[in-house]
Amino acid sequence: MNIEIRKIDELSASFAAELEKICFDHPWSKNAIMEEAERGYFIAAFCDGEFAGYAGMTAVLDERSICNIATVPEFRGKGVGLAIVNALLENARQTGASVVMLEVRESNKAAISLYEKVGFTLVGKRRKFYDAPMEDALLYNFYFV
């Protein structure tokens, strides 16, 4: 399987907005994704030419924050998430970031395992951060040394 990472464009933002409806309780629209992409680093993953997922990251000074990461269900467990996270970290490194931050549902064991595998460190918890269902968020940081 060939995984290709590209900067998000109008077409992949449409796919991403549809994926948002599957993955998140408060999905972003295509317009919201494109607006944020103008201010941040948003990418789409393709497996053998087929849309497989996307992610976005914003920057403030030397800090980066991962907003969303979503993988098409059929492509989960096939390295797409890892490719996406690695692409985000490489962009952060190349642009002089000192830290990349994210939050994740406490019950999302697959994502937590991936983040810890690539070197994110658990730094805290936000109580009742998510709704539908109500759940705590775990806070993870990746530090460049």
Side-chain angles (χ1 to χ4, degrees):
M1 177 179 307
N2 177 38
I3 301 171
E4 181 185 356
I5 303 294
R6 306 178 200 156
K7 283 195 83 169
I8 207 155
D9 60 15
E10 289 276 339
L11 180 59
S12 54
S14 295
F15 293 139
E18 291 304 310
L19 181 57
E20 283 269 327
K21 293 175 188 174
I22 295 168
C23 296
F24 302 115
D25 297 321
H26 303 288
W28 289 17
S29 68
K30 174 187 172 185
N31 288 340
I33 292 167
M34 288 305 297
E35 286 175 17
E36 288 299 315
E38 290 175 16
R39 293 187 284 273
Y41 179 67
F42 278 62
I43 56 176
F46 293 84
C47 288
D48 299 325
E50 188 175 346
F51 178 80
Y54 98 104
M57 182 171 66
T58 58
V60 175
L61 302 173
D62 67 334
E63 298 177 349
R64 304 295 179 271
S65 180
I66 296 176
C67 326
N68 288 354
I69 296 178
T71 304
V72 173
E74 303 87 75
F75 290 105
R76 291 180 185 158
K78 297 182 179 177
V80 174
L82 178 61
I84 289 172
V85 171
N86 283 336
L88 293 173
L89 291 174
E90 181 59 20
N91 175 269
R93 186 190 64 73
Q94 288 179 356
T95 57
S98 64
V99 62
V100 176
M101 303 170 285
L102 62 81
E103 64 264 334
V104 59
R105 279 186 180 271
E106 194 169 36
S107 65
N108 192 343
K109 302 302 182 198
I112 291 166
S113 175
L114 170 63
Y115 302 143
E116 290 178 351
K117 176 181 176 179
V118 299
F120 278 84
T121 303
L122 179 64
V123 295
K125 183 185 281 196
R126 286 196 179 120
R127 302 253 179 236
K128 300 179 181 178
F129 182 75
Y130 295 104
D131 58 10
M134 184 71 66
E135 189 171 354
D136 295 343
L138 298 179
L139 307 174
Y140 278 86
N141 287 356
F142 181 98
Y143 298 98
F144 294 94
V145 286

